[in-house]
């Protein structure tokens, strides 16, 4: 069952979403070559504290940090470390969640550090555009397959791989609720979206093959071919017409 949120619940999700958005904005602003991925985590920890929000990922299935920082061929769930140093030309995906009064927000963005290659720029732009195409399709009366299909079409047009093992998801009282939201699918199929549903849409695209594997830390997901990937995510409220993005400032 896909839960419908009340106005009160949505208010808390707005607060959680704002804490995530503010954290990601500060990280985007402060990221520099020479910083460690643990430094990125520290920025988020201090923003959440200031905003009275709790980290959503810390302790989730034993995850040990506040953010996921995934660099280049790392797709998602990179664990922050003081030994992992960001360098010029890296594509740094930062994913994080926050909790306010028991309600969750979840978002991700991929940040280019310094100058990057044209195909990498295309990867970032296309993945972010796919997120926004997905958001645009996500409205009261649409079907879930419409969202998935609109994301997949953007990748196909630009010849990018779509990661299939991981999906977007419902979100609210828990980080992951029903439904799962694949980044590929058939328009006109799947459950109908309704006002009051809250979902996280999160395309993950790759420059090469979409095949991924886990590293031995049990968390970090990387592309098998070692080519770069990107990840963008927002938590949104379904309503009539355009959805409301909850993880935006
Ligand atoms: N943002 C991820 C998702 O939407 C959650 C990361 S899993 C965690 O599924 F363990 F790191 F929290
Ligand atoms: Co998510």
């Amino acid at each position: 069952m896909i839960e419908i949120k009340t106005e009160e619940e949505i208010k808390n999700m707005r607060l959680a979403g704002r804490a995530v958005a503010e954290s990601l904005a500060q990280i985007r602003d402060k990221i520099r070559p020479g910083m460690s991925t643990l430094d990125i985590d520290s920025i988020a920890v201090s923003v959440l504290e200031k905003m009275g929000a709790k980290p959503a990922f810390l302790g989730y299935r034993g995850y040990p940090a506040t953010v996921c920082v995934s660099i280049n061929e790392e797709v998602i769930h990179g664990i922050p470390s003081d030994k992992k140093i960001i360098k010029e030309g890296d594509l740094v995906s930062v994913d994080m969640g926050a909790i306010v009064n028991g309600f969750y927000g979840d978002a991700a963005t991929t940040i280019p550090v310094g100058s990057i290659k044209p195909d990498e720029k295309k990867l970032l732009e296309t993945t972010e555009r796919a997120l926004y195409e997905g958001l645009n399709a996500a409205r009261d009366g649409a079907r879930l397959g419409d969202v998935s299909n609109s994301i997949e079409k953007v990748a196909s047009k630009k010849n990018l791989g779509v990661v299939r093992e991981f999906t977007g998801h419902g979100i609210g009282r828990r980080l992951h609720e029903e439904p799962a939201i694949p980044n590929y699918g058939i328009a006109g199929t799947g459950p109908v979206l309704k006002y009051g549903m809250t979902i996280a849409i999160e395309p993950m695209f790759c420059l090469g093959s979409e095949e991924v594997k886990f590293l031995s830390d049990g968390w970090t997901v990387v592309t098998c071919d070692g080519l770069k990937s990107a990840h963008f995510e927002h938590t949104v409220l379904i309503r009539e017409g355009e959805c409301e993005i909850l993880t935006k400032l």
Side-chain angles (χ1 to χ4, degrees), residues 169-183:
H169 49 92
I171 178 169
R173 208 180 286 279
R174 287 175 292 127
L175 178 59
H176 296 138
E177 299 182 346
E178 283 183 57
I181 307 174
N183 293 307

Side-chain angles (χ1 to χ4, degrees), residues 205-227:
F205 290 176
C206 322
L207 274 181
S209 154
E210 58 222 33
E211 265 181 272
V212 296
K213 62 178 184 193
F214 283 98
L215 293 186
S216 58
D217 63 17
W219 280 103
T220 315
V221 175
V222 299
T223 59
C224 291
D225 61 14
L227 295 180

Side-chain angles (χ1 to χ4, degrees), residues 77-112:
H77 301 171
I79 301 173
S81 160
D82 58 355
K83 295 187 179 60
K84 205 140 177 204
I85 306 301
I86 292 161
K87 55 185 197 310
E88 166 83 22
D90 279 345
L91 304 187
V92 182
S93 297
V94 184
D95 185 358
M96 65 171 293
I99 313 172
V100 172
N101 296 326
F103 288 86
Y104 284 71
D106 180 12
T109 188
T110 301
I111 308 167

